[in-house]
Amino acid sequence: MKARKERKTVFDESMEAFYRAAELIHLHPRVRLELEEPDFEHIFHITVETRDRLVPLSPAEEAQFRELPASSVKAGEALEPLANGQFVLHRRALLKADVTLREGVLRIPKRGLFRIEKGGPKKFKAYRIQYNQVRGPYKGGVRFHKDVSLDLFKALAADMTWKTAIVDVPFGGAKGGVRIDPHAYSREEIERVSLRFIYKLKNLIGPYLDIPAPDVNTNPEIMALMMRQYMDGERMPHAMRGVVTGKDVRIGGSEGRKKATGLGTVYCIQEWARWRGKSLEGSRVLVQGFGNVGSATAEILHHLGARIVAVQDAYGTVYDEKGLDIPALLDHCYSNRENLRRSVDGFPGAPSLSASDFWFLDADIAVPAALGGEITAEVADRMKVKVVAEAANGPTTPDGDEVLRARKIDIIPDIICNAGGVTVSYYEWLQNLRMEHWTEEEVNQRLERCIKANYSIIRDVAQDAPQHAASHDSRPFAIGQETDMRTAAMVLALKRIEAHYLLEGFSQ
Ligand code: NAD
């Protein structure tokens, strides 16, 4: 066993299930060494030009500019609102404007007092962790967030390695991104960050080498930019569309990819409900995170008759005991152009709730679909749900996990629960390489078979009930004893990965 450090990092914590499963299956010692750390850790910097900003004055500062007359600055497109309350000041805003500036401060009618902050070049730290490629090209998302670190990306890249093995797609694991608060930057600046990120990574990624995808704060538009940056100037660009997945369907994305992670989560929840003899109809659900994964999960569950009683995101929590009107909430977040943060906050259809009460609401199913480390021992101790479906990566801490298990609250571990995204990414990649376009029905049918079969294998391993059923064969993965679902999922991943090393051997 690896020597434990005093203070555990996120990576150490995320590897606990790996070590448990490795012990149980007597993982080959050299395979264990290969899998304990990433193949490559790329840490680099990117620089981009940023524009001037209008930064709102604090109430204390406002007093000294009370007499400042308003400037007739042309708003509209020329003053681009940012989700953090600032504006990007495009020079055309000043054309024909009548401006009164005092100490760099100006008053914009109806908007208030702002200080002009000079733009210029900025530097951001960026990462790409290529964890393992024994089963196929490195594969994993790109995250733009202010709290990312090498340690976090190592954990997420390791998770991708287990996840691709669990859904049995021929990929390895990777993850990366940029340390940036995307809410503080304009569309154009985020575009520059995305392009520069791929410019620096160009020699390290490729359709048969490492295939990025969307993750937190990245989306199909960003994937399109990344693809173009990679293909630009190449002789055979059409053969390279598979360099990223999660693209818009009109440019080589797969039908069904947008909702695939949420749909995969729902397939797992359906299997759990079938096993526990419960119906999803009328069941009460808590969803944390209303981005790509949370909103799709909520929408599909709502469609299946479940009641989504509360949704929480980074800015607010909304609650309705009778079940939120999810189509209206989606409209509020995604069709309302004023809602720059795409937040549930301010939703007129339901009252808001204090953030700290969210996890303790009376419900059947909790779906953490935001960031990691949310369900700590303290949270787990007071949750009232019957199952936690981990749509996010690493939402439960090891202490939280222990408490949930002790309280007999079921867990659908992240490495199967949110694997729908990478599964359909594989279908997208296949379609790109074959230049095909599959229907959404075909994609979803394949996804359903894949997720439900592998979920069933994990459950059989956990219950030590190996079987050869029409849908799956869990016999090669049984370990002769019962275990928890998280360890069982890792057993499945490690057995599939280990086979490659043992059958192919090691290059010296
Ligand atoms: P996203 O950026 O689309 O949405 C993130 C959501 O989480 C937003 O609603 C945001 O407001 C919310 N959030 C952020 N911080 C929060 C906080 N402190 N409290 C409550 N809510 C908070 O991201 P996404 O793609 O939906 O990813 C969500 C999770 O799912 C991540 O853990 C990601 O790694 C995981 N995941 C995503 C995919 C995918 O296909 N996008 C696949 C597998 C796993």
Side-chain angles (χ1 to χ4, degrees):
M1 176 92 57
K2 193 184 171 194
R4 293 293 153 95
K5 297 170 202 133
E6 278 294 297
R7 224 180 116 255
K8 283 184 197 155
T9 65
V10 175
F11 178 61
D12 292 335
E13 287 191 353
S14 84
M15 290 296 279
E16 291 195 4
F18 166 83
Y19 287 111
R20 275 202 308 274
E23 289 295 316
L24 276 175
I25 66 168
H26 309 293
L27 185 71
H28 186 286
R30 185 147 175 207
V31 177
R32 180 192 289 226
L33 288 181
E34 287 283 334
L35 293 175
E36 261 178 3
E37 295 287 342
D39 286 349
F40 301 102
E41 299 173 1
H42 305 286
I43 305 179
F44 51 106
H45 288 89
I46 57 177
T47 60
V48 294
E49 285 296 329
T50 62
R51 292 210 183 259
D52 296 345
R53 296 239 176 322
L54 293 183
V55 181
L57 292 198
S58 66
E61 288 173 303
E62 278 182 4
Q64 66 184 104
F65 297 97
R66 210 170 286 132
E67 307 301 325
L68 186 68
S71 297
S72 70
V73 175
K74 199 170 147 203
E77 276 181 26
L79 281 189
E80 190 183 343
L82 298 178
N84 66 355
Q86 301 181 1
F87 286 86
V88 168
L89 179 64
H90 293 275
R91 280 191 197 127
R92 58 185 184 276
L94 301 176
L95 288 176
K96 298 189 188 149
D98 184 2
V99 179
T100 311
L101 268 182
R102 189 172 301 152
E103 296 168 38
V105 172
L106 82 171
R107 182 187 297 280
I108 308 274
K110 298 197 197 120
R111 292 208 163 94
L113 289 159
F114 294 87
R115 171 166 280 113
I116 300 182
E117 205 177 87
K118 204 176 152 350
K122 274 214 165 204
K123 185 168 78 176
F124 300 93
K125 195 161 189 175
Y127 305 83
R128 185 71 185 170
I129 308 306
Q130 297 174 321
Y131 201 91
N132 188 275
Q133 63 169 350
V134 75
R135 301 184 74 257
Y138 298 111
K139 180 85 189 88
V142 176
R143 183 175 291 200
F144 288 174
H145 198 272
K146 60 183 176 24
D147 296 327
V148 298
S149 62
L150 171 65
D151 189 62
L152 175 69
F153 281 133
K154 276 172 66 176
L156 294 171
D159 276 350
M160 286 306 297
T161 308
W162 323 136
K163 218 180 285 186
T164 50
I166 283 173
V167 287
D168 210 5
V169 297
F171 287 147
K175 205 82 174 191
V178 181
R179 192 186 291 165
I180 184 173
D181 174 7
H183 291 145
Y185 294 89
S186 68
R187 240 183 118 92
E188 182 194 27
E189 290 162 344
I190 293 294
E191 174 171 342
R192 290 178 184 162
V193 169
S194 309
L195 295 177
R196 201 70 191 160
F197 181 68
I198 296 299
Y199 172 84
K200 284 271 174 114
L201 276 182
K202 176 141 185 181
N203 290 326
L204 300 169
I205 61 170
Y208 289 104
L209 180 55
D210 183 357
I211 306 150
D215 189 65
V216 174
N217 291 323
T218 56
N219 53 32
E221 290 92 77
I222 291 179
M223 292 306 118
L225 296 169
M226 292 183 166
M227 177 180 75
R228 193 200 68 216
Q229 179 75 335
Y230 182 80
M231 301 189 319
D232 240 2
E234 293 291 338
R235 267 196 320 152
M236 295 193 292
H238 52 274
M240 295 174 173
R241 288 193 178 268
V243 66
V244 295
T245 58
K247 303 180 287 290
D248 188 301
V249 286
R250 292 165 296 184
I251 55 168
S254 177
E255 301 290 346
R257 173 63 183 87
K258 204 164 154 218
K259 291 192 182 166
T261 308
L263 188 55
T265 296
V266 174
Y267 288 147
C268 288
I269 295 174
Q270 282 180 328
E271 276 302 289
W272 168 82
R274 200 168 61 84
W275 170 55
R276 287 291 190 197
K278 296 192 188 304
S279 162
L280 288 187
E281 182 130 16
S283 62
R284 290 155 306 160
V285 186
L286 310 176
V287 178
Q288 187 193 49
F290 206 61
N292 174 290
V293 180
S295 67
T297 308
E299 191 181 1
I300 301 164
L301 285 174
H302 175 79
H303 187 70
L304 293 174
R307 278 187 287 155
I308 316 298
V309 291
V311 173
Q312 174 172 78
D313 68 16
Y315 307 100
T317 307
V318 286
Y319 171 65
D320 186 343
E321 203 188 38
K322 296 194 288 304
L324 292 160
D325 180 347
I326 295 298
L329 189 60
L330 284 164
D331 254 8
H332 170 76
C333 295
Y334 293 99
S335 306
N336 173 3
R337 292 186 61 180
E338 304 275 290
N339 189 351
L340 294 172
R341 300 182 301 194
R342 300 193 185 290
S343 173
V344 301
D345 194 29
F347 176 53
S352 59
L353 184 81
S354 142
S356 53
D357 294 336
F358 172 77
W359 289 122
F360 314 122
L361 292 167
D362 225 336
D364 304 297
I365 302 166
V367 182
L371 301 179
E374 279 291 317
I375 303 179
T376 58
E378 293 72 43
V379 171
D381 199 37
R382 292 174 54 204
M383 288 178 91
K384 299 199 178 87
V385 295
K386 299 185 178 67
V387 63
V388 174
E390 295 184 333
N393 282 311
T396 310
T397 64
D399 291 352
D401 193 76
E402 230 167 81
V403 174
L404 290 179
R405 274 189 277 149
R407 293 189 57 213
K408 307 253 181 293
I409 295 176
D410 291 329
I411 300 171
I412 303 175
D414 52 1
I415 48 180
I416 176 73
C417 193
N418 67 34
V422 74
T423 307
V424 176
S425 275
Y426 167 59
Y427 302 156
E428 177 176 338
W429 181 79
L430 269 186
Q431 290 169 76
N432 291 158
L433 299 182
R434 298 178 181 177
M435 301 203 181
E436 289 180 358
H437 188 85
W438 304 353
T439 64
E440 184 167 1
E441 200 189 6
E442 181 170 358
V443 168
N444 290 352
Q445 275 172 3
R446 283 177 185 247
L447 176 66
E448 180 169 9
R449 273 201 305 275
C450 170
I451 296 290
K452 290 190 173 175
N454 287 300
Y455 179 91
S456 300
I457 294 177
I458 294 168
R459 200 196 43 226
D460 290 354
V461 172
Q463 293 182 298
D464 194 25
Q467 57 173 316
H468 187 188
S471 61
H472 67 282
D473 183 1
S474 51
R475 293 170 305 171
F477 307 102
I479 49 172
Q481 67 181 83
E482 289 182 15
T483 186
D484 60 280
M485 285 289 282
R486 198 183 301 283
T487 310
M490 192 62 86
V491 164
L492 173 60
L494 294 187
K495 285 202 170 200
R496 284 191 175 141
I497 296 169
E498 185 183 43
H500 279 264
Y501 284 109
L502 298 188
L503 296 172
E504 294 169 21
F506 295 88
S507 336
Q508 298 304 315

